[in-house]
Amino acid sequence: MKLISSWLLLAVMAMTLAFSSVCIAQSEDEDEDEESQQWFSIDTLNEGLGDVPEDLSRLTPRDAIRSFMELTENKEFGAAAHVLNLSNLSPEEQKSRGSLLARQLSSVLRRGEWLDLSDLSGRPDAVIEDPSGQNPQAGEPQRNLQLASLDVDGETYDIRLARYRVDDEDEDAVWLVSPESISSIPLLYEEYGPSWLESHIPERFHASYGMLKIWEWIAIPVFLLAIGLVGWGVHFLVGLASQWLPSGLPSIFVSQIKVSMALVVMSLVAQSLLDYAVSFSAVATTFFHILLITIMAWGVGTIALRLVDTFMLKMTRRLIGEIDDTKPRDERKLLTTLYALRRGIILVMVVAVAIYVLGQIELFETLGVTLLASASVLTVLVGIAGQTVLSNILSSFQVSLAKPIRVGDLVIFEGHWSYVEGIFYTFIRLRTWDERRLNVPVTYFLSKPFENLSVKSAKMYRCMVLTLHLSADVACLREKFKEFAEAEENVIEHHKLLCYVTGQTEMAQQISFYLMTSEPMSGWAAEMNVREKMLAFIRDNHPEWWPRDVVVFGRHDVALGEKPADRSVTRPATVTDSPKPGPSAS
């Protein structure tokens, strides 16, 4: 029994040792696989370049590029070549071409794309750190990074950093420029290398002073002055052209695009000089690139907008003329639609220009994660800060679609008789009868009750009320009213002329006269003219029709001419005529 127990114990121990060895081997294989995902294994590394300088750090992407830029700034191109993976070259070619490739790459990086070393990872494994959790690769190590992306003749070439480790050497993995990127350095140098002007500048002016070189601090003001003179010349020539053109829409259009045309030409000339004559460091080049794209997009958009405005002016003059409600309803509706179309074009242009500018300066790639992380905060801030503006913009589109008012309509808004002269993004411009302009926010206008006198037709009934004595002959007044009203040019539909007694008191009667006018403002003038003629007729022919208060001291009606009865003492009646205030205006 003891012998059997001993054999069982030995068998269990053997199986345990075998299983543990398998687990250890498997864990070692997994560790090796995990480490192999963090770098590229190579047999040799830049044998032709000799020993690596002691002050050269290549353990992190940030340290590698910082060392490369410092060495090339000090003209130590041979030492800077150790940041390049020259495995595609033989040891002899590495020694002869390493410093040249380092110098060319340095020139490309300084002119092609502005590098911000803080954007590069400072960790050896280049793990993506994203506290917001928006990046799906957060927390994963990387062994290949994009340093820059440059275009040459429509083709895109990437400059990438990769992490390498020599298999047979017990050294840490290092970050180097990949061999694929090195093969494209000569082509990139032809495109982004020193310009003709820079090649003729003395060497002493190539020293760096701050973010730029000494010659750049001198050349940039001269460059801007030359571009400014070009813009001034274009502005002057376009102004002369607007004066030479015959008066009309062409001259108006040309006079409105002087500034925009000058900016467009300035942008084109500046870009041409940057492409073929002069090249600055990446800091200045990136700034000019963004500025020129923005100016070009804004200038072209403004010229297109002025073209739309000129077309609208032509349509207004041909179809509508003066902006008022004397024109047919369909024409005023067309003008309102044109204003809505203008706002739509502006909105589309702003969005298109913004997308174009952002696409050109590649903000979507560099700031995409940041924008996504702060999208909710930005939305809240914009919603709070621009609530009034956005509300007015949406309300203006509502007005354009529903058309409670149209351009040219006559409205009564807060007691003002006004024509709707324009419906813009954030406000409505009203022209009052005395030629003043009221700019009313769209939301405020829609929140207040207003009367649209032109919503269906510009025609309007006018009512004129005269207060006269009870003895006034209504039939005579009716005939005179029709005679005076029919003589007025702005009184239409003569069969609708009416005259009625609409009120009565003990001493007077109210007579109302109704007339149809072609539109409210001219109807007001026609009403005033008819009123003046009626008052003049009564004054000259029947002054006894004026209203008055009669006070009689006696039993008999003095107004009828009756004599009082015989009395011992006869006292004449006293009649007091107190005219009422003049005829009331409706």
Side-chain angles (χ1 to χ4, degrees):
M1 292 296 294
K2 293 183 178 180
L3 182 60
I4 295 174
S5 299
S6 300
W7 279 106
L8 289 175
L9 180 61
L10 291 174
V12 171
M13 292 178 62
M15 293 179 62
T16 303
L17 291 174
F19 181 75
S20 61
S21 63
V22 171
C23 292
I24 293 173
Q26 183 177 359
S27 62
E28 290 178 354
D29 293 339
E30 291 178 354
D31 293 339
E32 291 179 357
D33 293 339
E34 183 178 354
E35 289 180 353
S36 64
Q37 296 297 324
Q38 298 182 11
W39 56 69
F40 295 98
S41 298
I42 54 178
D43 297 331
T44 59
L45 179 61
N46 298 339
E47 292 180 343
L49 297 181
D51 296 335
V52 179
E54 295 182 357
D55 57 346
L56 179 61
S57 176
R58 303 176 295 177
L59 296 180
T60 68
R62 186 184 301 169
D63 291 341
I65 298 302
R66 181 186 287 116
S67 300
F68 179 80
M69 301 302 287
E70 291 176 354
L71 291 173
T72 53
E73 180 70 23
N74 297 327
K75 310 299 181 183
E76 299 179 14
F77 300 111
H82 285 276
V83 186
L84 311 180
N85 185 352
L86 304 176
S87 58
N88 288 346
L89 303 178
S90 63
E92 294 77 12
E93 290 179 322
Q94 292 177 2
K95 184 177 182 179
S96 61
R97 296 185 57 191
S99 59
L100 175 63
L101 291 172
R103 180 175 64 83
Q104 291 180 344
L105 178 60
S106 171
S107 180
V108 170
L109 292 179
R110 294 180 188 278
R111 292 175 177 81
E113 186 171 323
W114 184 14
L115 294 179
D116 188 358
L117 296 180
S118 61
D119 293 337
L120 297 175
S121 176
R123 297 177 49 134
D125 55 1
V127 170
I128 298 177
E129 298 177 349
D130 183 19
S132 64
Q134 299 292 331
N135 195 324
Q137 296 181 347
E140 296 182 4
Q142 299 182 91
R143 59 176 182 174
N144 195 307
L145 300 175
Q146 178 177 299
L147 182 62
S149 180
L150 303 174
D151 295 334
V152 177
D153 297 332
E155 297 290 336
T156 301
Y157 296 88
D158 291 339
I159 299 177
R160 307 190 70 87
L161 285 176
R163 195 181 186 197
Y164 300 95
R165 184 169 183 251
V166 180
D167 290 335
D168 299 335
E169 298 181 5
D170 189 14
E171 294 183 358
D172 295 330
V174 295
W175 288 89
L176 306 174
V177 179
S178 65
E180 295 80 8
S181 301
I182 292 175
S183 62
S184 60
I185 289 178
L187 179 62
L188 293 174
Y189 183 75
E190 294 180 3
E191 179 71 19
Y192 296 96
S195 62
W196 173 86
L197 177 64
E198 185 177 356
S199 61
H200 290 76
I201 294 175
E203 187 65 27
R204 63 178 178 272
F205 291 105
H206 284 270
S208 296
Y209 185 78
M211 300 180 67
L212 302 175
K213 296 182 179 179
I214 296 177
W215 73 269
E216 291 177 326
W217 288 109
I218 301 173
I220 289 177
V222 176
F223 175 79
L224 295 177
L225 178 60
I227 298 302
L229 292 175
V230 171
W232 178 83
V234 173
H235 185 275
F236 178 74
L237 293 177
V238 175
L240 287 180
S242 65
Q243 296 177 2
W244 292 338
L245 291 172
S247 59
L249 296 179
S251 62
I252 294 175
F253 172 70
V254 174
S255 64
Q256 290 179 342
I257 63 171
K258 292 187 292 185
V259 176
S260 302
M261 185 62 71
L263 292 176
V264 170
V265 175
M266 288 170 59
S267 301
L268 293 175
V269 173
Q271 190 61 52
S272 299
L273 291 177
L274 291 175
D275 291 339
Y276 301 106
V278 62
S279 61
F280 300 111
S281 298
V283 176
T285 301
T286 302
F287 173 77
F288 281 126
H289 181 62
I290 297 174
L291 181 62
L292 293 178
I293 289 176
T294 305
I295 292 176
M296 174 67 73
W298 183 86
V300 173
T302 304
I303 292 175
L305 181 60
R306 293 291 176 263
L307 183 62
V308 174
D309 289 340
T310 305
F311 175 74
M312 287 182 57
L313 180 60
K314 181 179 180 180
M315 295 290 293
T316 302
R317 289 182 175 180
R318 175 179 296 181
L319 300 178
I320 299 176
E322 182 69 19
I323 298 179
D324 55 33
D325 61 348
T326 59
K327 299 300 179 181
R329 178 169 173 264
D330 291 340
E331 295 183 357
R332 287 183 279 119
K333 183 178 179 181
L334 174 62
L335 186 57
T336 305
T337 304
L338 290 178
Y339 268 90
L341 178 62
R342 180 182 185 272
R343 293 196 300 276
I345 292 175
I346 294 176
L347 182 61
V348 171
M349 287 171 49
V350 169
V351 174
V353 168
I355 293 176
Y356 173 76
V357 172
L358 292 176
Q360 289 296 316
I361 63 180
E362 297 178 351
L363 281 182
F364 288 129
E365 297 180 4
T366 58
L367 300 180
V369 176
T370 304
L371 290 177
L372 288 175
S374 59
S376 58
V377 178
L378 182 63
T379 302
V380 173
L381 293 178
V382 171
I384 295 175
Q387 182 178 3
T388 302
V389 176
L390 294 175
S391 177
N392 281 306
I393 292 175
L394 295 177
S395 297
S396 68
F397 279 104
Q398 177 187 353
V399 171
S400 300
L401 295 175
K403 293 184 175 61
I405 57 173
R406 299 176 300 270
V407 175
D409 281 358
L410 178 63
V411 298
I412 301 178
F413 179 71
E414 295 187 340
H416 297 284
W417 283 56
S418 310
Y419 285 110
V420 180
E421 196 172 52
I423 303 173
F424 301 96
Y425 266 117
T426 57
F427 67 93
I428 296 174
R429 187 169 64 205
L430 304 177
R431 188 183 78 233
T432 62
W433 65 273
D434 55 356
E435 294 299 323
R436 292 181 295 116
R437 299 301 190 274
L438 298 178
N439 293 326
V440 184
V442 182
T443 53
Y444 180 81
F445 183 88
L446 294 179
S447 64
K448 298 293 182 179
F450 62 90
E451 184 177 356
N452 190 342
L453 302 179
S454 309
V455 64
K456 289 295 183 181
S457 173
K459 297 187 301 181
M460 184 179 183
Y461 247 132
R462 302 290 302 183
C463 179
M464 179 180 69
V465 180
L466 297 181
T467 303
L468 301 175
H469 194 266
L470 292 173
S471 61
D473 188 352
V474 178
C476 178
L477 292 173
R478 183 179 289 112
E479 293 298 327
K480 285 298 179 180
F481 167 68
K482 290 183 178 181
E483 177 185 346
F484 297 149
E486 291 175 356
E488 290 294 324
E489 179 182 358
N490 294 318
V491 176
I492 59 176
E493 300 183 10
H494 297 160
H495 63 283
K496 293 185 179 181
L497 296 174
L498 302 174
C499 174
Y500 294 107
V501 177
T502 56
Q504 177 187 359
T505 63
E506 295 84 352
M507 302 299 177
Q509 58 181 336
Q510 290 183 345
I511 305 176
S512 299
F513 305 88
Y514 299 90
L515 64 162
M516 179 71 74
T517 59
S518 58
E519 54 93 15
M521 294 300 289
S522 60
W524 180 87
E527 177 189 344
M528 299 303 107
N529 292 335
V530 174
R531 185 191 303 275
E532 291 177 0
K533 293 178 182 179
M534 293 294 293
L535 293 177
F537 169 75
I538 296 173
R539 182 189 65 242
D540 296 338
N541 297 281
H542 299 282
E544 69 277 8
W545 290 354
W546 294 126
R548 57 189 181 274
D549 291 333
V550 179
V551 180
V552 179
F553 297 94
R555 295 176 297 174
H556 302 281
D557 193 346
V558 178
L560 296 178
E562 294 182 355
K563 295 181 179 181
D566 292 337
R567 294 182 180 177
S568 58
V569 179
T570 303
R571 187 175 182 179
T574 302
V575 179
T576 303
D577 291 345
S578 301
K580 290 183 178 294
S584 61
S586 62

